[in-house]
Amino acid sequence: MGFRFQKRIRIFKGLTLNLSKSGTSWTVGGPGASVNVRSEKVTGTVGAPGTGLSYRQTLVDGSEGSGGRHAGGKAWRWVLWAALLAFLGYLVFGQA
């Protein structure tokens, strides 16, 4: 049985830096929907908050075995939009 290390640092509402033994990743979004970006892999998650039910899908898989498969084709555009929306939400709602 191995040791695990995981730490989340909330940069601002809607943007989190995730640290672990295997590397770092960024999460953009909130409890209902989020996008996680880790090196060349992008994962989207949609869920019903408070129920424990969620659906996760790999949007971009940059691993060598998949040949850089782009599941959504425009996943990076969605990541940029999600980051922009999170930033705008922070400017509007996070300055209380």
Side-chain angles (χ1 to χ4, degrees):
M1 193 158 150
F3 287 102
R4 287 183 46 158
F5 170 75
Q6 184 175 7
K7 175 70 177 170
R8 292 182 181 160
I9 301 171
R10 183 174 163 180
I11 305 302
F12 57 81
K13 191 172 187 175
L15 180 65
T16 306
L17 173 63
N18 307 302
L19 305 172
S20 71
K21 186 171 68 171
S22 61
T24 62
S25 69
W26 291 91
T27 301
V28 178
S34 64
V35 176
N36 185 277
V37 180
R38 178 185 186 113
S39 61
E40 294 183 12
K41 186 174 182 179
V42 179
T43 305
T45 305
V46 178
T51 65
L53 298 173
S54 65
Y55 176 77
R56 179 180 294 172
Q57 181 175 358
T58 300
L59 302 174
V60 175
D61 185 3
S63 63
E64 292 181 28
S66 68
R69 187 181 100 239
H70 292 273
K74 299 179 182 177
W76 284 107
R77 184 178 300 174
W78 284 106
V79 170
L80 291 175
W81 274 111
L84 177 63
L85 289 174
F87 180 70
L88 291 174
Y90 169 73
L91 289 178
V92 173
F93 301 110
Q95 305 229 354

